[in-house]
């Protein structure tokens, strides 16, 4: 199979999805209008509520939801073959992720920019809200703790990426001032920012920064984790225009340039995909494709974390309700494009089937390493960029996306604590500094609770895929309830919702069995808690849907 053919089919399908399907959803289902006053204008405070140019906001939304997950998930899932991963990414982006992300933004904007968890209380009921917010908090805890480990590991393994990763923050601070104070136009700001970022990537290999393996009584990667959380705490308290928006925007541009380089190299080299379409010779211990494929690839097809970003930070910055389609749906398309690039790098970036099999000798192998090594191989052989430089480029791309997700994730966790303060009338918890300390403290307890290396978050990471996909299903439930209340077509959200609930519950049950057989009773208990909580919220939402349909019929 030619990688170019797969690239053209994938990009063409996603492009049609945005041009045709998202237009239909925006006009006939959500019925977006420019006349509605968005919360960014109604509650503008210059910190969290800031009306934002849709291109800048798209950059924030896209890079916040992308992280490393649309690279890691697809680059692991190709162990079952490239065809299932390709189909789930493309079809999931068009019919699942796009309407999920846009729907979450729309629902939040129509309800004073409340998070999807708090919104559940207004749309469904107080019991559902309480349970839902616990699931959300658990998911954010996983994301923040684990992404800190991922970034720290990348900086330990690739010292050439340290200067570009941290230098990008300085670039973002400068860009934020230039955009917010309108010193120069967005086009020139974008050009200067991209040039500065790529200059840092070029400098990186010449000035590698290697953290010692041990610093006192702590491993080097643990020091990086502490530094990252210190930075994220400060970033979560800064006005969004100062760091979050420009950092995400410039990273979004950097991603598209990186994808253009990767896609261009594929077009020139036209490599063959060496991995099988359907892998019938998977390594021992690999779980079945169904239902695990649909939770292994979350970001890049559909992800509940997107709903948290959409209803947490994105909805507070939306300038016009009409921007929901571009920011929400096209943000999902951007992530699908990244997932497609990860699939191609991880299946066509190897010289032979034997080399590919050596990388994928056990389930869970591949991931970022397969993306970086395979992508660097394609870029070097396609357009002649030195392999080390190409590897640095792709590593920085992965690290910057993980960093922007962590920035947004910690801010979202701060919002959760503040919303709990509002719900339970705890004035002290509503204070941003206190809520941030609680957010960071909970992450550090998880990270360092199991040892001094800070990798404690990895203990509960096996539950991320199922928890994340259940959250996506529950978000679609909330959006569906809103659509029924407004008398809008609901099938476009209910079909992906039913599919997600079925495959995710089956995956949770499969995990229950594997945790029990492995004697991992901690994860077994946590899995049961997540399953019960999700079923209870689903029952509450189903009851709300039934009640609303009954009211609608009685009114006829």
């Amino acid at each position: 199979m030619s990688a170019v053919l797969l690239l053209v089919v994938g990009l063409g399908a996603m492009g049609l999805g945005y041009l045709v399907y998202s237009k239909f959803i925006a006009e006939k289902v959500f019925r977006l209008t420019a006349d509605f006053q968005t919360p960014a204008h109604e509650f503008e405070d210059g910190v969290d509520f800031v009306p934002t140019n849709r291109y800048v906001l798209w950059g924030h939304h896209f890079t916040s939801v992308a992280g490393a997950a649309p690279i890691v998930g697809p680059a692991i899932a190709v162990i079952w073959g490239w065809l299932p991963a390709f189909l789930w990414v493309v079809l999931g982006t068009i019919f699942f992720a796009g309407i999920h992300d846009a729907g979450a933004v729309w629902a939040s904007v129509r309800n004073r920019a409340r998070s999807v968890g708090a919104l559940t209380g207004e749309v469904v009921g107080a019991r559902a809200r309480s349970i839902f917010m616990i699931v959300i908090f658990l998911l954010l805890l996983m994301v923040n703790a684990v992404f800190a480990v991922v970034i720290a590991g990348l900086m330990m393994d690739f010292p050439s990426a340290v200067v570009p990763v941290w230098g990008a923050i300085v670039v973002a601070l400068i860009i934020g001032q230039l955009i917010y104070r309108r010193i120069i136009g967005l086009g020139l700001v974008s050009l200067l920012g991209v040039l500065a970022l790529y200059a840092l990537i070029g400098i990186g290999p010449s000035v590698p920064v290697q953290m010692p393996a041990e610093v006192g009584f702590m491993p080097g990667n643990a020091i990086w984790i502490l530094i990252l959380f210190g930075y994220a705490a400060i970033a979560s308290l800064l006005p969004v225009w100062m760091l979050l928006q420009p950092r995400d925007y410039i990273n979004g541009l950097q991603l598209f340039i990186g994808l253009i380089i990767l896609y261009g190299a594929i077009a020139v080299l036209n490599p063959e995909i060496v991995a099988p379409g359907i892998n019938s010779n998977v390594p021992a211990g690999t779980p079945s494709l169904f239902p695990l494929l649909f939770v292994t690839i979350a970001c890049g097809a559909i992800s509940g974390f997107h709903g948290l970003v959409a209803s947490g930070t994105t909805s507070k910055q939306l300038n016009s309700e009409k921007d929901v389609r571009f920011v929400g749906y096209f943000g999902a398309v951007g992530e699908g494009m990244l997932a497609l690039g990860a699939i191609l790098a991880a299946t066509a970036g190897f010289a032979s089937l034997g080399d590919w099999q050596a990388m994928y000798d056990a389930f869970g192998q591949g991931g970022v390493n397969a993306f970086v090594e395979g992508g660097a191989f394609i870029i070097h052989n396609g357009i002649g960029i030195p392999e080390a430089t190409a590897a640095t480029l792709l590593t920085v791309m992965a690290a910057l996306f993980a960093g922007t997700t962590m920035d947004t994730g910690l801010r979202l966790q701060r919002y959760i604590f503040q919303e709990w303060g509002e719900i339970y009338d705890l004035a002290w918890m509503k204070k941003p500094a206190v809520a941030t300390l609680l957010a960071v403290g909970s992450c550090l307890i998880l990270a360092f609770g199991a040892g001094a290396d800070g990798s404690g978050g990895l203990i509960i990471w096996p539950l991320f895929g199922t928890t994340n996909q259940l959250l996506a299903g529950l978000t679609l439930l909330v959006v569906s309830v809103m659509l029924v209340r407004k008398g809008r077509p609901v099938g476009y959200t209910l079909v992906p919702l039913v599919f997600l609930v079925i495959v995710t519950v089956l995956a949770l049950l499969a995990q229950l069995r594997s945790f029990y057989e492995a004697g991992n009773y901690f994860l077994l208990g946590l899995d049961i808690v997540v399953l019960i909580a999700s079923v209870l919220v689903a029952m509450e939402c189903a009851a709300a849907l039934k009640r609303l349909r009954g009211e609608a019929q009685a009114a006829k």
Side-chain angles (χ1 to χ4, degrees), residues 461-473:
W461 186 248
L463 285 173
F464 171 78
T466 46
T467 306
N468 189 44
Q469 296 304 67
L470 277 173
L471 184 59

Side-chain angles (χ1 to χ4, degrees), residues 33 35 257 333 366 423:
T33 173
D35 296 332
I257 293 172
V333 170
I423 291 169

Side-chain angles (χ1 to χ4, degrees), residues 139-204:
L139 184 70
L140 288 171
L141 200 60
M142 292 183 198
V143 169
N144 291 332
V146 173
F147 273 38
V149 175
V150 170
I151 301 168
L154 287 171
M155 289 193 290
M156 290 294 291
D157 294 339
F158 300 93
S160 61
V162 173
V163 167
V165 166
W166 291 101
I169 296 171
V170 178
V171 172
L173 286 168
I174 296 172
I175 287 175
Q177 295 293 327
L178 295 176
I179 293 176
Y180 185 73
R181 303 188 187 286
R182 299 178 182 177
I183 296 173
I184 55 178
L186 183 62
L188 183 56
V189 168
S190 304
L191 176 62
L192 293 175
V194 168
L195 290 175
L197 197 58
Y198 277 93
L200 289 170
I201 291 173
I203 293 170

Side-chain angles (χ1 to χ4, degrees), residues 73-82 85 275-276 279 297 342-343 346-347 356 360:
I76 289 175
V78 294
I79 197 167
W80 289 298
W82 60 262
N279 189 10
I297 300 179
I343 290 172
T347 56
W356 181 82
Y360 289 88

Side-chain angles (χ1 to χ4, degrees), residues 415-500:
Y415 290 164
I416 291 294
F417 277 110
Q418 289 180 293
E419 286 180 345
W420 274 335
E422 290 180 7
I423 291 169
Y424 301 109
D425 196 23
L426 301 172
W428 59 273
M429 192 178 286
K430 289 188 280 188
K431 296 178 180 178
V434 173
T436 298
L437 287 175
L438 290 172
V440 172
S442 58
C443 290
L444 291 178
I445 288 172
L446 175 61
F448 289 93
D453 63 352
S455 62
L458 295 175
I459 294 173
I460 63 172
W461 186 248
L463 285 173
F464 171 78
T466 46
T467 306
N468 189 44
Q469 296 304 67
L470 277 173
L471 184 59
L474 297 174
T475 300
L476 285 171
L477 264 175
V478 172
V479 175
S480 297
V481 171
M482 279 192 60
L483 290 173
V484 171
R485 278 186 169 180
K486 293 178 177 293
R488 310 279 177 81
V490 75
Y492 304 98
T493 55
L494 278 182
V495 171
L497 156 65
V498 171
F499 178 81
L500 266 185

